[in-house]
């Protein structure tokens, strides 16, 4: 049976970057069936629903989903599509690799993995909105902490680098984080992995100052959201960062960036984050070599100055994508 891949372009720059990611997927997954699912603000404006139960059913019918970005208005009655999908597909692990493609001044490369818990914490959706007082319930469960810690530990072993798991938390203020920290430590010791628990505010600074000290960092939902944007500083900005949202049954790949309405429609959005998300999908399907080839090809282009304006170049979204496919093909010929 051929793979079924759902393609969600979404809003803003989503429809610009996703075709470039799809080109890469079509190149390697020649037998796959691609089908589009329309979701997001534009759909909400047209139909009154940003993501219907039928849409969720369609997504669940896919072997994997590639997703661009959706715009979420700060309206108390509008439910974030992304959060709805993460919740309904139980995509509990948000894997955010922070890998630089350009060398640092000392010749080193940043290479770490943020493992963000993706279904609980401040994203519980349990809120009471009032005019005098509004609250959001921050939920940390033992089971939720355990499964994300297990995912993080398996990545520590797979990556085989410093064999240490860093736990980003804020247990001095948020006592719920002590359950998170202690559960992560318990799981890590059962894997034979050392842990270091660091307060998230100090961690945000230290990863910028000493990125090479880090390998895998596990943290709660909102802290992982913030930390991954912070780490964009190490890699050339948010246009560079991919992610994988993984559950027991479903897998969903998306750039870390949002819909960027300020640059939408101009053809200048950097498609690298979306393309690298596609490469993460290839790796998920066991095509590690092909994923590496995509990463190497992106690095070659960027290091020779072929890039979009956010990185100082003058390529458009689609011209970068076309040049990327050409480099991928050339590398493949050389390897045959
Ligand atoms: C992300 C985004 C989302 C989040 C928003 C768009 C709901 O910022 O994927 O990092 O907060 O998780
Ligand atoms: Mg974010």
């Amino acid at each position: 049976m051929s793979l079924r891949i759902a393609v969600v372009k979404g809003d803003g720059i989503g429809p610009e970057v996703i075709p470039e990611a799809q080109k890469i997927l079509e190149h390697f997954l020649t037998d796959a069936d691609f089908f589009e699912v329309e979701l997001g603000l534009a759909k909400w404006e047209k139909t009154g629903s940003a993501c219907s139960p039928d849409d969720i059913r369609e997504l669940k019918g896919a072997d994997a989903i590639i997703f661009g970005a959706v715009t979420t208005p700060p309206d108390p009655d509008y439910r974030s599509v992304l959060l709805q999908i993460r919740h309904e597909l139980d995509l509990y692990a948000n894997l955010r690799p922070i890998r630089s493609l350009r060398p640092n001044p000392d010749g080193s490369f940043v290479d770490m993995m943020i493992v963000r818990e993706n279904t609980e914490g401040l994203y519980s959706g349990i809120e009471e909105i009032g005019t005098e007082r509004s609250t959001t319930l921050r939920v940390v469960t033992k089971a939720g902490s355990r499964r994300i810690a297990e995912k993080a530990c398996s990545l520590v072993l797979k990556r085989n680098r410093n064999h240490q798991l860093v736990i980003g938390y804020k247990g001095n203020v948020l006592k719920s984080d002590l359950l998170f920290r202690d559960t992560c430590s318990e799981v890590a010791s059962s894997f034979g992995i050392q842990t270091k628990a660091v307060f998230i505010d100090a961690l945000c600074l230290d990863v910028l100052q000493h990125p090479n000290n880090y390998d895998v960092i596990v943290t709660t939902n909102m802290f992982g959201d913030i930390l991954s944007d912070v780490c964009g500083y190490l890699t050339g900005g948010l246009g560079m960062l991919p992610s994988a949202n993984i559950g027991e049954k479903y897998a969903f790949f998306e750039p870390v960036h949002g819909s960027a309405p300020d640059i939408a429609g101009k053809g200048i959005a950097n498609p690298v984050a979306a393309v690298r998300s596609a490469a993460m999908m290839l790796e998920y399907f066991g095509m590690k070599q092909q994923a590496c080839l995509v990463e190497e090809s992106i690095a070659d282009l960027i290091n020779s100055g072929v890039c979009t304006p956010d990185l100082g170049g003058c390529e458009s979204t689609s011209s970068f994508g076309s040049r990327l496919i050409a480099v991928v093909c050339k590398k493949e010929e050389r390897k045959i």
Side-chain angles (χ1 to χ4, degrees):
M1 270 255 291
S2 58
L3 291 171
R4 299 190 73 238
I5 312 292
V7 179
V8 181
K9 292 179 179 163
D11 303 308
I13 59 170
E16 294 167 55
V17 296
I18 285 302
E20 307 315 315
Q22 191 173 343
K23 274 184 209 161
I24 289 289
L25 292 174
E26 282 171 348
H27 178 81
F28 288 108
L29 303 173
T30 42
D31 287 340
D33 246 350
F34 291 86
F35 64 99
E36 223 176 288
V37 181
E38 195 191 346
L39 302 175
L41 184 63
K43 176 166 178 171
W44 182 73
E45 282 161 351
K46 269 194 292 185
T47 67
S49 163
C51 178
S52 68
D54 278 349
D55 297 328
I56 294 287
R57 249 191 306 279
E58 283 217 64
L59 295 178
K60 285 185 172 174
D63 292 293
I65 302 153
I66 183 88
F67 179 95
V70 288
T71 304
T72 308
D75 173 337
D77 297 326
Y78 188 93
R79 183 165 182 215
S80 158
V81 168
L82 206 42
L83 300 194
Q84 184 185 349
I85 295 171
R86 288 175 185 166
H87 178 77
E88 298 207 25
L89 277 59
D90 197 25
L91 303 167
Y92 68 88
N94 195 328
L95 311 182
R96 299 191 152 184
I98 310 295
R99 220 168 26 230
S100 55
L101 298 177
R102 285 203 267 226
N104 299 324
D106 67 356
S108 66
F109 286 85
V110 174
D111 185 1
M112 61 177 116
M113 176 68 89
I114 297 173
V115 179
R116 167 185 176 188
E117 199 294 316
N118 216 26
T119 51
E120 322 191 318
L122 271 174
Y123 286 65
S124 68
I126 307 172
E127 302 193 300
E128 268 178 45
I129 307 303
T131 49
E132 300 303 317
R133 183 182 139 101
S134 289
T135 55
T136 298
L137 190 71
R138 185 173 189 270
V139 176
V140 175
T141 67
K142 180 102 186 166
S145 305
R146 191 182 292 125
R147 65 181 182 170
I148 195 68
E150 284 168 357
K151 179 65 88 183
C153 289
S154 65
L155 284 164
V156 170
L157 298 183
K158 189 163 157 212
R159 288 163 61 89
N160 199 17
R161 291 177 65 221
N162 69 7
H163 284 258
Q164 189 195 54
L165 177 65
V166 169
I167 305 165
Y169 80 127
K170 187 75 184 176
N172 49 348
V173 176
L174 305 171
K175 302 306 175 195
S176 51
D177 259 6
L178 299 178
L179 177 60
F180 182 76
R181 180 199 62 188
D182 294 346
T183 308
C184 290
S185 301
E186 256 169 56
V187 170
S189 76
S190 75
F191 275 74
I193 292 170
Q194 303 264 334
T195 56
K196 188 169 147 200
V198 185
F199 292 141
I200 191 70
D201 46 352
L203 183 59
C204 283
L205 177 61
D206 202 54
V207 289
L208 297 186
Q209 289 180 322
H210 309 288
N212 296 329
N213 289 350
Y214 291 91
D215 180 29
V216 179
I217 303 174
V218 67
T219 189
T220 52
N221 209 337
M222 174 66 97
F223 293 159
D225 178 42
I226 296 168
L227 185 64
S228 50
D229 274 27
V230 165
C231 286
Y233 181 77
L234 297 168
T235 57
L238 279 188
M240 302 299 288
L241 295 184
S243 76
N245 296 252
I246 307 286
E248 293 302 332
K249 290 207 208 137
Y250 307 105
F252 176 101
F253 299 83
E254 55 157 344
V256 168
H257 63 67
S259 62
D262 52 327
I263 58 160
K266 298 187 179 159
I268 55 168
N270 187 349
V272 167
V275 171
R276 291 176 107 182
S277 303
M280 289 183 85
M281 186 192 292
L282 295 176
E283 194 173 340
Y284 171 79
F285 287 135
M287 301 167 75
K288 171 110 179 136
Q289 262 183 335
Q290 290 84 342
C292 288
L293 194 81
V294 174
E295 286 275 302
E296 283 164 24
S297 305
I298 297 171
D300 283 5
L301 281 174
I302 288 176
N303 288 316
S304 57
V306 178
C307 48
T308 44
D310 54 313
L311 298 180
C314 54
E315 294 298 323
S316 70
T317 310
S318 64
S319 70
F320 182 87
S322 307
R323 295 191 68 166
L324 179 63
I325 286 284
V327 176
V328 165
C329 292
K330 211 181 267 162
K331 278 189 187 289
E332 281 181 319
E333 273 163 32
R334 257 185 257 138
K335 286 196 172 148
I336 289 167

